[in-house]
Amino acid sequence: MATFRLHSGKVLAVDLSGDAVTAKNGSMVAYDGHMTFKRLTGGGEGLRGVVTRRLTGEHRTVMEVRGEGTCWFADRASEITLVRLTGDTLYVEADSLLAADAGLRTGTTFTGLRGAAQGNGLFTTTVRGHGQAALLSDGPAVVLRVAPHAPLVVDPGAYVAHQGDVRQSFQSGATFRTLIGEGGGEAVQIRFEGDGLVYVQPSERTTVAGDV
């Protein structure tokens, strides 16, 4: 299995010994040894992935990197966070997934109003299995715990990913002060309940509700 390690927080080094990883297309910045690069269709899921992602409006372009040596990946100087999966599922925005062990299975899942609120469609990417994945965030990602009887509410513009036995729902934070422009601006919120982790970034992306 490939070995993932961070280099300065904004560059991911992956040591390969004949195995492979999937990575965001165009994210390779350097490598040593012998490497081959192959663009994958349908987010790495073949023809089924092409059809699914076109129907859902969820986009992800990836490449397979295979060989002997070390390959370095980065994306627009974004911060990188490593997540280890042990048979569980990671839910992540497609643009926030930098790389993953080739043995991990990717797919799409329905997110409902959360995706609509972010302007990213109604579906998001899933990563399942055993291995490591690398997440991208605008600023160092913060990992927040969701515990039973302690739900977590997140601004959709700051959401990056989540994992564990977590349920999510959409709620409106709009008040009269928000509508007249005197509120905090966070009219759209995501509520997480259950037991797991939520990854958020300290910089909010623009959503269909505006800069929330």
Side-chain angles (χ1 to χ4, degrees), residues 8-179:
S8 78
K10 296 185 178 181
V11 177
L12 171 67
V14 179
D15 300 316
L16 298 171
S17 53
D19 38 8
V21 295
T22 58
K24 196 171 186 178
N25 199 49
S27 61
M28 186 277 292
V29 294
Y31 72 89
D32 62 22
H34 176 71
M35 300 286 171
T36 60
F37 301 86
K38 178 183 178 182
R39 181 168 177 169
L40 302 178
T41 59
E45 301 148 45
L47 180 60
R48 180 179 179 180
V50 172
V51 174
T52 300
R53 291 176 185 274
R54 284 183 178 175
L55 289 174
T56 62
E58 199 274 352
H59 305 286
R60 181 169 177 253
T61 305
V62 300
M63 60 182 176
E64 179 188 78
V65 183
R66 182 181 298 274
E68 301 267 354
T70 300
C71 192
W72 289 268
F73 302 92
D75 185 65
R76 295 170 293 182
S78 298
E79 297 283 344
I80 302 172
T81 301
L82 297 183
V83 178
R84 181 173 293 279
L85 299 177
T86 56
D88 51 330
T89 301
L90 176 71
Y91 300 83
V92 56
E93 294 304 321
D95 287 343
S96 297
L97 182 59
L98 174 63
D101 282 316
L104 291 172
R105 303 182 306 278
T106 60
T108 57
T109 190
F110 180 70
T111 59
L113 290 175
R114 178 182 66 72
Q118 288 182 252
N120 293 335
L122 299 180
F123 293 78
T124 196
T125 293
T126 58
V127 184
R128 294 184 174 91
H130 294 265
Q132 284 190 290
L135 305 182
L136 296 167
S137 59
D138 187 2
V142 179
V143 185
L144 302 176
R145 184 80 191 183
V146 180
H149 311 298
L152 178 70
V153 178
V154 174
D155 186 322
Y159 171 84
V160 174
H162 73 272
Q163 66 184 134
D165 184 15
V166 175
R167 302 177 303 280
Q168 58 177 321
S169 59
F170 173 89
Q171 70 179 37
S172 173
T175 64
F176 176 73
R177 290 176 60 82
T178 302
L179 297 176

